[in-house]
């Protein structure tokens, strides 16, 4: 603890993303403003009004698991297992896990879970009948299957939690990991969220909701947070897993942290199933709760990585809420680069905040040419990364379908 307040240190980061696999490739691509957007290849989108997405094209499951495990695992769980291995490697924590597995916890959430396997199982029933269903169908579909595979393959024996909270899931999983550390339930927690939902049913459903950008001829320009031409989100996929550790564990291992989590906040809009509160009261409350828990003042938040999906309903209220936290904070909405990975997005964006604090550099956002009506005129970091030698505190905030809100405050370690 610092000044009597709890904290959890981030000492390892593992990422599978549309712009790179592994922390180094991911971060360098972000700083280079490389877009992960392109045509959908995970299924045939012919006839769909939206035919673009941000896919993890560089991910190969058998780089991280044998073929038998891969065959029995949904894509979201494959990505989760790979990211967990990358985080352990990045944090040089294999020995700690092997020597004391009961003191290592696991939190791996997903907004939707094994939807690819759900859809392929239904297709098998329709085309070949129920007797031809894969015997691993249920264990591929269940939302906790990613956590189950990580636990089995890596030998994690501490507390294990899976959560599903739509687009707020990844942020809330970081909060749950923080809770395990501050309560002393674990010395180290593998923590994050995974999503692989670029499937016919999910894409068609979001099209029907009119939530997605239809810029099929311009995938890289499709997601436009806070821009006057914002027209909906770009669906993505991916995972970030982080090692969270107590101060005692960090000292014992001699680990070098990226950042520390010092505050979390949660709230519910109680307004609408799909649209956020039009005045941004829910997300503002979550952010304020996180800042208050950290012990900081709101004007000490230097950088915000927001939800920033590029939707008309969300961009204005969220940006106005950020303006009330700190109108001078730097803002970069990285879904413009990575797409919206639904339940995984908050975990990925927490990792971005941690890397920004460590490297004292704010990664850029794309596609903000002219500010939309109703959006706050903030210090948006666009197209080029920005050196930030005085960067000390960052805030990751997300909104979820259903009116869920979550925020995490990170500080320089």
């Amino acid at each position: 603890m610092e000044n009597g307040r709890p904290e959890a240190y981030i000492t390892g980061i593992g990422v599978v993303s549309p712009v790179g696999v592994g922390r180094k490739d991911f971060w360098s691509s972000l700083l280079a403003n490389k877009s992960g957007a392109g045509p959908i290849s995970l299924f045939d989108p012919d006839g769909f009004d939206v035919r673009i997405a941000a896919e993890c094209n560089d991910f190969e499951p058998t780089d991280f698991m044998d073929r038998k495990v891969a065959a029995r695992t949904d894509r979201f769980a494959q990505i989760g297992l790979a990211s967990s291995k990358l985080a352990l490697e990045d944090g040089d924590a294999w020995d700690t896990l092997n020597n004391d597995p009961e003191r290592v916890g696991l939190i791996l959430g997903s907004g939707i879970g094994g939807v690819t396997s759900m859809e392929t199982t239904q297709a098998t029933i329709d085309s070949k009948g129920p007797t031809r269903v894969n015997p691993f169908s249920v264990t591929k579909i269940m939302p906790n299957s990613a956590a189950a595979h990580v636990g089995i393959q890596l030998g994690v024996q501490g507390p294990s939690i899976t959560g599903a909270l739509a687009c707020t899931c990844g942020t809330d999983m970081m909060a749950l990991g923080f809770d395990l550390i501050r309560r002393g339930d674990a010395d180290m927690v593998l923590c994050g969220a995974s999503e692989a939902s670029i499937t016919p049913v999910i894409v068609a459903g979001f099209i029907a909701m009119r939530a997605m950008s239809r810029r099929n001829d311009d995938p890289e320009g499709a997601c436009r947070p806070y821009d006057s031409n914002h027209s909906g989100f770009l669906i993505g996929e991916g995972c970030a897993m982080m090692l969270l550790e107590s101060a005692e564990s960090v000292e014992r291992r001699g680990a070098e942290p990226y950042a520390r989590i010092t505050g979390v906040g949660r709230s519910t809009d109680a307004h609408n199933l799909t649209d956020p509160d039009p005045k941004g009261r829910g997300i503002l409350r979550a952010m304020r709760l996180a800042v208050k828990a950290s012990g900081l003042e709101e004007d000490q938040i230097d950088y915000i990585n927001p939800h920033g999906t590029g939707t008309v309903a969300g961009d204005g209220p969220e940006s106005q809420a950020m303006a009330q936290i700190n109108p001078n904070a730097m803002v970069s909405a990285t879904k413009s680069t990575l797409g919206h990975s639904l339940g995984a997005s908050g975990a990925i964006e927490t990792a971005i905040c941690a890397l920004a604090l460590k490297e004292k550099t704010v990664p850029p956002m794309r596609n903000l040419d002219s500010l939309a009506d109703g959006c706050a005129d903030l210090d948006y970091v666009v197209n080029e990364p920005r050196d930030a030698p005085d960067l000390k505190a960052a805030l990751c905030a997300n909104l979820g379908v259903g009116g869920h809100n979550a925020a995490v405050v990170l500080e320089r370690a």
Side-chain angles (χ1 to χ4, degrees):
M1 290 190 178
E2 182 171 294
N3 299 324
R5 295 186 179 273
E7 56 195 358
Y9 288 83
I10 297 174
T11 57
I13 296 175
V15 182
V16 173
S17 84
V19 299
V21 175
R23 171 185 55 81
K24 291 181 180 179
D25 286 348
F26 171 70
W27 186 242
S28 63
S29 294
L30 273 183
L31 295 186
N33 203 27
K34 177 182 176 181
S35 174
I40 290 175
S41 66
L42 289 167
F43 68 91
D44 182 0
D46 185 44
F48 284 67
D49 289 341
V50 174
R51 299 181 295 280
I52 53 175
E55 300 178 348
C56 299
N57 293 319
D58 293 336
F59 173 66
E60 174 51 57
T62 53
D63 290 343
F64 299 94
M65 64 203 77
D66 64 39
R67 292 187 180 277
K68 182 180 289 187
V69 172
R72 297 176 177 180
T73 311
D74 187 87
R75 182 172 174 85
F76 97 101
Q78 294 171 351
I79 292 173
L81 177 56
S83 298
S84 297
K85 287 186 172 182
L86 289 167
L88 282 166
E89 181 179 329
D90 188 56
D92 193 23
W94 285 105
D95 286 346
T96 299
L97 173 59
N98 293 332
N99 292 333
D100 201 1
E102 295 180 0
R103 293 296 300 169
V104 178
L106 172 61
I107 294 180
L108 208 175
S110 180
I112 298 177
V115 65
T116 301
S117 297
M118 174 71 82
E119 294 186 30
T120 56
T121 299
Q122 185 63 59
T124 298
I125 293 172
D126 293 342
S127 62
K128 300 179 180 179
T131 61
R132 300 297 297 277
V133 166
N134 188 313
F136 295 99
S137 294
V138 171
T139 54
K140 293 172 75 173
I141 294 167
M142 60 190 194
N144 67 310
S145 63
H149 278 287
V150 171
I152 292 167
Q153 296 297 319
L154 306 187
V156 179
Q157 297 178 27
S160 182
I161 300 172
T162 291
L165 207 61
C167 313
T168 316
C169 176
T171 321
D172 197 59
M173 295 305 98
M174 302 309 302
L176 289 175
F178 175 76
D179 290 343
L180 286 184
I181 293 295
R182 70 180 180 85
R183 288 201 307 262
D185 292 345
D187 300 322
M188 179 184 293
V189 180
L190 267 170
C191 185
S194 181
E195 200 81 89
S197 298
I198 304 174
T199 69
V201 168
I202 300 303
V203 171
F206 279 126
I207 292 171
M209 290 170 61
R210 300 187 177 276
M212 301 177 72
S213 174
R214 304 189 182 202
R215 291 173 174 261
N216 294 305
D217 58 345
D218 182 23
E220 294 187 6
C223 182
R224 313 184 68 84
Y226 317 116
D227 186 73
S228 58
N229 290 315
H230 54 181
S231 59
F233 74 85
L234 174 77
I235 193 168
E237 61 176 354
C239 177
M241 293 296 288
M242 280 155 278
L243 287 178
L244 304 186
E245 292 190 58
S246 65
E248 293 78 9
S249 179
V250 168
E251 183 176 1
R252 183 168 58 248
R253 293 201 315 118
E256 184 177 345
Y258 290 97
R260 54 196 174 99
I261 295 175
T262 57
V264 300
R266 304 173 176 96
S267 70
T268 307
D269 282 357
H271 169 70
N272 182 274
L273 191 60
T274 56
D275 293 342
D277 184 309
K279 294 186 178 180
R281 288 171 292 198
I283 188 61
L284 176 60
R285 189 162 61 251
M287 290 191 289
R288 281 189 160 156
L289 287 168
V291 175
K292 182 178 180 180
S294 74
L296 298 176
E297 299 297 327
E298 292 178 1
D299 62 5
Q300 291 180 281
I301 298 298
D302 305 307
Y303 167 52
I304 302 176
N305 192 304
H307 197 54
T309 55
T311 62
V312 175
D315 284 357
E318 183 191 25
S319 66
Q320 295 295 339
M322 287 189 285
Q324 292 189 62
I325 294 295
N326 183 2
N328 300 311
M330 293 173 283
V331 176
S332 62
T334 45
K335 287 183 181 70
S336 58
T337 295
L338 302 169
H340 187 0
S341 55
L342 308 181
S345 60
I348 294 171
E349 289 152 12
T350 300
I352 291 170
C353 288
L355 289 165
L357 287 163
K358 180 68 173 178
E359 302 297 332
K360 302 177 184 178
T361 304
V362 173
M365 61 185 289
R366 300 171 59 88
N367 304 325
L368 179 52
D369 297 328
S370 60
L371 196 65
D373 291 342
C375 288
D377 188 9
L378 301 172
D379 185 9
Y380 299 102
V381 180
V382 182
N383 294 331
E384 297 287 341
R386 186 182 300 177
D387 291 337
D390 298 324
L391 181 62
K392 294 179 181 178
L395 176 67
C396 174
N398 290 95
L399 304 83
V401 171
H404 313 291
N405 306 286
V408 174
V409 169
L410 299 92
E411 296 182 56
R412 187 183 297 177

